[in-house]
Amino acid sequence: QQFKTLIGVRPRASIPISEVDFNGCAKVGISYRKLPKDYIPPFCSGRSPFYDEVLNDDWVSVTNGREDFSHVKRTQYELAMFLCEDDRFELDMIIEANVSTMQAIKNKLDELEEEEKGGKKRGGKEEEE
């Protein structure tokens, strides 16, 4: 818990999109549904006001029976290719999460070093007086 606090992790307030009930939500076409008003999106620390204006945070694409290709029989080679692609995607997500965590730790360490330097300078001035 202390580590999460140190690097600035916030508690998760939103639920995954896959668990959202879209019954009764507005829709556009076959695939797009508007997120419910009570849905709390995940926190994004890297957004500027420009991104808030241009990025979509209200509509999501959902599959329906016609878009689900699970009934199509795949060869062993296609299956291996899909599994490899899934593994690569998961690995990319893990790498990005680790890079983000390392950057957050580096920023916190830099802040702590600056605070220590500031404290030593003030401490040195007090001794000279």
Side-chain angles (χ1 to χ4, degrees):
Q1 186 64 28
Q2 290 176 342
F3 178 71
K4 288 181 179 181
T5 304
L6 176 69
I7 63 170
V9 172
R10 296 186 176 145
R12 193 170 137 172
S14 64
I15 60 172
I17 294 284
S18 60
E19 295 178 16
V20 174
D21 180 20
F22 289 104
N23 292 328
C25 293
K27 57 181 166 176
V28 173
I30 297 171
S31 301
Y32 288 93
R33 300 286 185 273
K34 187 168 179 107
L35 286 167
K37 291 182 182 183
D38 61 344
Y39 177 76
I40 301 169
F43 175 73
C44 178
S45 62
R47 276 205 173 172
S48 69
F50 171 73
Y51 292 131
D52 289 333
E53 289 179 23
V54 298
L55 295 178
N56 168 34
D57 289 327
D58 300 322
W59 295 88
V60 293
S61 177
V62 294
T63 61
N64 63 30
R66 288 182 258 167
E67 295 173 346
D68 185 13
F69 296 104
S70 61
H71 63 282
V72 176
K73 187 161 174 77
R74 296 185 177 123
T75 67
Q76 66 183 16
Y77 306 107
E78 290 173 322
L79 185 58
M81 186 174 65
F82 286 120
L83 291 174
C84 180
E85 185 178 333
D86 286 346
D87 289 344
R88 290 183 72 165
F89 176 78
E90 286 296 321
L91 185 57
D92 283 345
M93 293 296 105
I94 291 169
I95 289 170
E96 286 300 317
N98 285 329
V99 167
S100 177
T101 302
M102 290 187 303
Q103 186 62 46
I105 291 171
K106 182 182 178 304
N107 292 343
K108 280 292 182 184
L109 287 173
D110 290 345
E111 286 177 23
L112 291 173
E113 287 175 5
E114 288 298 318
E115 288 176 9
E116 285 180 6
K117 286 179 185 177
K120 287 180 183 177
K121 288 180 182 176
R122 282 184 293 228
K125 289 180 183 177
E126 290 173 1
E127 290 174 8
E128 292 175 1
E129 291 176 15

Coordinates of all heavy atoms in Angstrom, one line a residue, residues 9-67:
V9 N -0.4 5.8 -7.2 CA -1.5 5.0 -7.8 C -2.8 5.3 -7.0 O -2.9 5.5 -5.8 CB -1.2 3.5 -7.6 CG1 -2.4 2.6 -7.9 CG2 0.0 3.1 -8.4
R10 N -3.9 5.6 -7.8 CA -5.1 5.9 -7.2 C -6.0 4.7 -7.2 O -5.9 3.8 -8.1 CB -5.8 7.0 -8.1 CG -5.0 8.3 -8.0 CD -5.7 9.4 -8.7 NE -5.0 10.6 -8.5 CZ -4.9 11.5 -9.4 NH1 -5.5 11.4 -10.5 NH2 -4.1 12.6 -9.2
P11 N -6.9 4.6 -6.2 CA -7.8 3.4 -6.2 C -8.7 3.4 -7.5 O -9.1 4.4 -8.0 CB -8.7 3.6 -5.0 CG -8.4 5.0 -4.5 CD -7.2 5.5 -5.2
R12 N -9.0 2.2 -7.9 CA -9.8 2.0 -9.1 C -11.2 2.2 -8.8 O -11.8 1.5 -8.1 CB -9.5 0.6 -9.6 CG -10.0 0.4 -11.0 CD -9.5 -1.0 -11.5 NE -10.6 -1.6 -12.2 CZ -10.5 -2.7 -12.9 NH1 -9.3 -3.3 -12.9 NH2 -11.5 -3.2 -13.5
A13 N -11.8 3.2 -9.5 CA -13.2 3.5 -9.3 C -14.1 3.0 -10.4 O -15.3 3.0 -10.2 CB -13.3 5.1 -9.1
S14 N -13.5 2.7 -11.5 CA -14.4 2.2 -12.6 C -14.3 0.7 -12.8 O -13.4 0.1 -12.3 CB -13.9 2.9 -13.9 OG -12.6 2.5 -14.2
I15 N -15.3 0.2 -13.4 CA -15.4 -1.2 -13.7 C -15.0 -1.4 -15.2 O -15.1 -0.5 -16.0 CB -16.8 -1.8 -13.5 CG1 -17.8 -1.1 -14.4 CG2 -17.2 -1.7 -12.0 CD1 -19.2 -1.7 -14.3
P16 N -14.5 -2.6 -15.5 CA -14.1 -2.8 -16.9 C -15.3 -2.7 -17.9 O -16.4 -3.0 -17.5 CB -13.6 -4.3 -16.9 CG -13.3 -4.6 -15.5 CD -14.2 -3.7 -14.7
I17 N -15.0 -2.2 -19.1 CA -16.0 -2.0 -20.1 C -16.8 -3.3 -20.3 O -18.0 -3.3 -20.5 CB -15.4 -1.5 -21.4 CG1 -14.8 -0.2 -21.3 CG2 -16.4 -1.6 -22.5 CD1 -15.8 0.9 -21.2
S18 N -16.1 -4.5 -20.2 CA -16.8 -5.8 -20.5 C -17.9 -6.1 -19.5 O -18.7 -6.9 -19.7 CB -15.7 -6.9 -20.5 OG -15.1 -7.0 -19.3
E19 N -17.8 -5.4 -18.3 CA -18.8 -5.7 -17.3 C -19.9 -4.7 -17.2 O -20.9 -4.7 -16.4 CB -18.1 -5.7 -15.9 CG -17.2 -6.9 -15.8 CD -16.5 -6.9 -14.4 OE1 -16.9 -6.2 -13.5 OE2 -15.4 -7.6 -14.3
V20 N -19.9 -3.7 -18.1 CA -20.9 -2.6 -18.2 C -22.2 -3.2 -18.9 O -22.1 -3.9 -19.9 CB -20.4 -1.4 -19.0 CG1 -21.5 -0.4 -19.2 CG2 -19.2 -0.8 -18.3
D21 N -23.3 -2.9 -18.3 CA -24.6 -3.3 -18.9 C -25.1 -2.2 -19.8 O -25.4 -1.1 -19.4 CB -25.6 -3.6 -17.7 CG -27.0 -4.0 -18.3 OD1 -27.1 -4.5 -19.4 OD2 -28.0 -3.8 -17.6
F22 N -25.1 -2.5 -21.1 CA -25.5 -1.6 -22.1 C -27.0 -1.6 -22.5 O -27.4 -0.9 -23.4 CB -24.6 -1.8 -23.4 CG -23.2 -1.4 -23.2 CD1 -22.2 -2.3 -23.1 CD2 -22.9 0.0 -23.2 CE1 -20.9 -1.9 -22.9 CE2 -21.5 0.4 -23.0 CZ -20.6 -0.6 -22.9
N23 N -27.8 -2.4 -21.8 CA -29.2 -2.4 -22.0 C -29.8 -1.1 -21.6 O -29.5 -0.6 -20.6 CB -29.9 -3.5 -21.2 CG -29.5 -4.9 -21.7 OD1 -29.2 -5.1 -22.9 ND2 -29.4 -5.9 -20.8
G24 N -30.5 -0.5 -22.5 CA -31.1 0.8 -22.3 C -30.2 2.0 -22.6 O -30.6 3.1 -22.4
C25 N -29.0 1.7 -23.0 CA -28.1 2.8 -23.4 C -28.4 3.2 -24.9 O -28.8 2.4 -25.7 CB -26.6 2.4 -23.3 SG -26.1 2.1 -21.6
A26 N -28.1 4.4 -25.2 CA -28.3 4.9 -26.5 C -27.3 4.2 -27.5 O -26.3 3.8 -27.1 CB -28.0 6.4 -26.6
K27 N -27.8 4.0 -28.7 CA -26.9 3.3 -29.7 C -26.9 4.0 -31.0 O -27.9 4.7 -31.4 CB -27.3 1.9 -29.8 CG -28.7 1.6 -30.2 CD -28.9 0.1 -30.3 CE -30.3 -0.3 -30.4 NZ -30.5 -1.7 -30.5
V28 N -25.8 3.9 -31.7 CA -25.7 4.4 -33.1 C -25.2 3.2 -33.9 O -24.2 2.6 -33.7 CB -24.6 5.5 -33.1 CG1 -24.4 5.9 -34.6 CG2 -25.1 6.7 -32.3
G29 N -26.0 2.9 -34.9 CA -25.7 1.8 -35.8 C -25.8 0.5 -35.0 O -26.5 0.4 -34.0
I30 N -25.1 -0.5 -35.5 CA -25.1 -1.8 -34.8 C -24.1 -1.9 -33.7 O -24.4 -2.6 -32.7 CB -24.8 -2.9 -35.9 CG1 -25.9 -2.9 -37.0 CG2 -24.7 -4.3 -35.3 CD1 -25.6 -3.8 -38.2
S31 N -23.0 -1.3 -33.8 CA -21.9 -1.6 -32.9 C -21.6 -0.6 -31.8 O -20.9 -0.9 -30.9 CB -20.6 -1.7 -33.7 OG -20.7 -2.7 -34.7
Y32 N -22.1 0.6 -31.9 CA -21.7 1.6 -30.9 C -22.8 1.9 -29.9 O -24.0 2.0 -30.2 CB -21.4 3.0 -31.6 CG -20.1 2.9 -32.4 CD1 -20.1 2.5 -33.7 CD2 -18.9 3.1 -31.7 CE1 -18.9 2.4 -34.4 CE2 -17.7 3.0 -32.4 CZ -17.7 2.6 -33.7 OH -16.5 2.5 -34.3
R33 N -22.4 1.9 -28.6 CA -23.3 2.2 -27.5 C -22.7 3.4 -26.7 O -21.5 3.5 -26.5 CB -23.4 1.0 -26.6 CG -23.9 -0.2 -27.2 CD -25.4 -0.1 -27.5 NE -26.0 -1.4 -28.0 CZ -26.1 -1.7 -29.3 NH1 -25.5 -0.9 -30.2 NH2 -26.6 -2.8 -29.6
K34 N -23.6 4.2 -26.1 CA -23.1 5.3 -25.3 C -23.0 4.7 -23.9 O -23.8 3.9 -23.4 CB -24.2 6.4 -25.3 CG -23.7 7.6 -24.5 CD -24.6 8.8 -24.8 CE -24.1 10.0 -24.0 NZ -23.5 11.0 -24.8
L35 N -21.9 5.1 -23.2 CA -21.6 4.6 -21.8 C -22.7 5.2 -20.9 O -23.1 6.3 -21.1 CB -20.2 5.0 -21.4 CG -19.1 4.3 -22.0 CD1 -17.8 5.0 -21.7 CD2 -19.0 2.9 -21.4
P36 N -23.1 4.4 -19.9 CA -24.1 4.9 -18.9 C -23.5 6.2 -18.2 O -22.3 6.3 -18.0 CB -24.3 3.8 -17.9 CG -23.7 2.6 -18.6 CD -22.7 3.1 -19.6
K37 N -24.4 7.1 -17.8 CA -24.0 8.3 -17.1 C -23.2 8.0 -15.8 O -22.4 8.8 -15.4 CB -25.2 9.2 -16.9 CG -25.7 9.7 -18.1 CD -26.9 10.7 -17.9 CE -27.3 11.1 -19.3 NZ -28.4 12.0 -19.3
D38 N -23.6 6.9 -15.1 CA -22.9 6.6 -13.8 C -21.6 5.9 -14.0 O -20.9 5.6 -13.0 CB -23.9 5.8 -13.0 CG -24.3 4.4 -13.6 OD1 -24.1 4.3 -14.8 OD2 -24.8 3.6 -12.8
Y39 N -21.2 5.6 -15.2 CA -19.9 4.9 -15.5 C -18.8 5.9 -15.2 O -18.8 7.0 -15.8 CB -19.8 4.4 -16.9 CG -18.5 3.7 -17.2 CD1 -18.2 2.5 -16.7 CD2 -17.5 4.4 -17.9 CE1 -17.0 1.9 -17.0 CE2 -16.3 3.8 -18.2 CZ -16.0 2.6 -17.7 OH -14.8 2.0 -17.9
I40 N -17.8 5.5 -14.4 CA -16.7 6.4 -14.1 C -15.5 5.8 -14.9 O -15.0 4.7 -14.7 CB -16.3 6.3 -12.6 CG1 -17.5 6.8 -11.8 CG2 -15.1 7.1 -12.3 CD1 -17.3 6.5 -10.3
P41 N -15.0 6.6 -15.9 CA -13.9 6.2 -16.7 C -12.6 6.1 -15.9 O -12.4 6.8 -14.9 CB -13.8 7.2 -17.8 CG -14.4 8.4 -17.2 CD -15.4 8.0 -16.2
P42 N -11.7 5.2 -16.4 CA -10.4 5.1 -15.7 C -9.7 6.5 -15.7 O -9.8 7.2 -16.7 CB -9.6 4.1 -16.5 CG -10.6 3.4 -17.3 CD -11.8 4.3 -17.5
F43 N -8.8 6.7 -14.7 CA -8.1 8.0 -14.6 C -7.0 8.0 -15.7 O -6.3 6.9 -15.9 CB -7.5 8.1 -13.2 CG -6.6 9.3 -13.1 CD1 -7.1 10.6 -13.0 CD2 -5.2 9.2 -13.0 CE1 -6.3 11.7 -12.9 CE2 -4.4 10.2 -12.9 CZ -4.9 11.5 -12.9
C44 N -6.8 9.1 -16.3 CA -5.7 9.2 -17.3 C -4.9 10.5 -16.9 O -5.4 11.6 -17.0 CB -6.3 9.4 -18.7 SG -5.0 9.6 -19.9
S45 N -3.6 10.3 -16.5 CA -2.8 11.4 -16.0 C -2.2 12.2 -17.2 O -1.7 13.3 -17.0 CB -1.7 10.9 -15.1 OG -0.9 10.0 -15.8
G46 N -2.1 11.6 -18.4 CA -1.3 12.2 -19.4 C -2.2 13.1 -20.4 O -1.7 13.4 -21.5
R47 N -3.3 13.5 -20.0 CA -4.2 14.2 -20.9 C -4.1 15.7 -20.7 O -4.1 16.2 -19.6 CB -5.7 13.8 -20.6 CG -6.0 12.6 -21.4 CD -7.5 12.6 -21.6 NE -7.9 11.6 -22.5 CZ -9.1 11.3 -22.7 NH1 -10.1 12.0 -22.2 NH2 -9.4 10.3 -23.5
S48 N -4.1 16.4 -21.8 CA -4.2 17.9 -21.8 C -5.6 18.3 -22.1 O -6.4 17.5 -22.5 CB -3.2 18.5 -22.8 OG -3.7 18.2 -24.1
P49 N -5.9 19.5 -21.9 CA -7.3 20.0 -22.2 C -7.6 19.8 -23.7 O -8.8 19.5 -24.1 CB -7.3 21.5 -21.9 CG -6.2 21.6 -20.9 CD -5.2 20.6 -21.2
F50 N -6.6 19.8 -24.6 CA -6.9 19.6 -26.0 C -7.4 18.1 -26.2 O -8.3 17.9 -26.9 CB -5.6 19.8 -26.8 CG -5.7 19.3 -28.2 CD1 -6.4 20.0 -29.2 CD2 -5.1 18.1 -28.7 CE1 -6.5 19.6 -30.5 CE2 -5.2 17.7 -30.0 CZ -5.9 18.5 -30.9
Y51 N -6.7 17.2 -25.6 CA -7.2 15.8 -25.7 C -8.6 15.6 -25.1 O -9.4 14.8 -25.7 CB -6.2 14.8 -25.0 CG -4.8 14.8 -25.6 CD1 -3.7 14.9 -24.9 CD2 -4.7 14.6 -27.0 CE1 -2.4 14.9 -25.5 CE2 -3.4 14.5 -27.6 CZ -2.3 14.7 -26.8 OH -1.1 14.6 -27.4
D52 N -8.9 16.3 -24.1 CA -10.3 16.2 -23.5 C -11.3 16.6 -24.5 O -12.4 16.1 -24.5 CB -10.4 17.0 -22.2 CG -9.6 16.3 -21.1 OD1 -9.4 15.1 -21.1 OD2 -9.2 17.1 -20.2
E53 N -10.9 17.6 -25.4 CA -11.9 18.1 -26.4 C -12.0 17.1 -27.5 O -13.1 17.0 -28.1 CB -11.4 19.4 -26.9 CG -11.5 20.6 -25.9 CD -10.9 21.9 -26.5 OE1 -10.9 22.0 -27.8 OE2 -10.6 22.8 -25.7
V54 N -11.0 16.5 -28.0 CA -11.0 15.7 -29.2 C -11.2 14.2 -29.1 O -11.6 13.6 -30.0 CB -9.8 16.0 -30.1 CG1 -9.8 17.5 -30.5 CG2 -8.5 15.6 -29.4
L55 N -10.9 13.7 -27.9 CA -11.0 12.2 -27.7 C -12.4 11.8 -27.3 O -13.1 12.5 -26.5 CB -9.9 11.7 -26.7 CG -8.5 11.9 -27.2 CD1 -7.6 11.4 -26.1 CD2 -8.3 11.1 -28.5
N56 N -12.8 10.6 -27.7 CA -14.1 10.1 -27.4 C -14.1 9.4 -26.0 O -13.4 8.4 -25.9 CB -14.6 9.1 -28.5 CG -15.8 8.3 -28.1 OD1 -16.7 8.8 -27.4 ND2 -15.8 7.1 -28.6
D57 N -14.9 9.9 -25.1 CA -15.0 9.2 -23.8 C -16.4 8.7 -23.5 O -16.7 8.3 -22.4 CB -14.6 10.1 -22.7 CG -13.1 10.4 -22.6 OD1 -12.3 9.4 -23.0 OD2 -12.7 11.5 -22.3
D58 N -17.3 8.9 -24.5 CA -18.7 8.6 -24.3 C -19.2 7.3 -25.0 O -20.2 6.7 -24.6 CB -19.6 9.8 -24.7 CG -19.2 11.0 -23.9 OD1 -19.0 10.9 -22.7 OD2 -19.2 12.1 -24.5
W59 N -18.6 7.0 -26.2 CA -19.1 5.9 -27.0 C -18.1 4.8 -27.1 O -16.9 5.0 -27.2 CB -19.4 6.4 -28.4 CG -20.5 7.4 -28.4 CD1 -20.4 8.8 -28.3 CD2 -21.9 7.2 -28.6 NE1 -21.7 9.4 -28.3 CE2 -22.6 8.4 -28.6 CE3 -22.6 6.0 -28.8 CZ2 -24.0 8.5 -28.7 CZ3 -24.0 6.1 -28.9 CH2 -24.7 7.3 -28.9
V60 N -18.6 3.6 -27.1 CA -17.7 2.4 -27.2 C -18.3 1.4 -28.2 O -19.5 1.4 -28.5 CB -17.6 1.6 -25.8 CG1 -16.8 2.5 -24.8 CG2 -18.9 1.2 -25.3
S61 N -17.4 0.7 -28.8 CA -17.8 -0.3 -29.8 C -18.0 -1.7 -29.1 O -17.2 -2.1 -28.3 CB -16.7 -0.5 -30.8 OG -17.1 -1.5 -31.7
V62 N -19.2 -2.3 -29.3 CA -19.5 -3.6 -28.7 C -19.8 -4.6 -29.8 O -20.3 -4.2 -30.8 CB -20.7 -3.4 -27.7 CG1 -20.3 -2.6 -26.5 CG2 -21.9 -2.9 -28.4
T63 N -19.5 -5.8 -29.5 CA -19.8 -6.8 -30.5 C -21.2 -7.3 -30.4 O -21.9 -7.2 -29.4 CB -18.9 -8.1 -30.3 OG1 -19.1 -8.6 -29.1 CG2 -17.4 -7.7 -30.5
N64 N -21.7 -7.7 -31.5 CA -23.0 -8.4 -31.5 C -22.9 -9.7 -32.2 O -21.8 -10.1 -32.6 CB -24.1 -7.5 -32.2 CG -23.8 -7.3 -33.7 OD1 -23.2 -8.1 -34.3 ND2 -24.2 -6.1 -34.2
G65 N -23.9 -10.5 -32.3 CA -23.8 -11.8 -32.9 C -23.3 -11.9 -34.3 O -22.6 -12.8 -34.6
R66 N -23.5 -10.9 -35.1 CA -23.0 -10.9 -36.4 C -21.5 -10.6 -36.5 O -20.9 -11.0 -37.5 CB -23.8 -9.9 -37.3 CG -25.2 -10.3 -37.5 CD -25.9 -9.3 -38.4 NE -26.7 -8.5 -37.5 CZ -27.3 -7.4 -37.8 NH1 -27.1 -6.9 -39.0 NH2 -28.1 -6.8 -36.9
E67 N -21.0 -10.0 -35.5 CA -19.5 -9.7 -35.6 C -18.7 -10.7 -34.9 O -17.5 -10.6 -34.9 CB -19.3 -8.3 -35.0 CG -19.9 -7.2 -35.7 CD -19.8 -5.9 -35.0 OE1 -19.5 -5.9 -33.8 OE2 -20.1 -4.8 -35.6

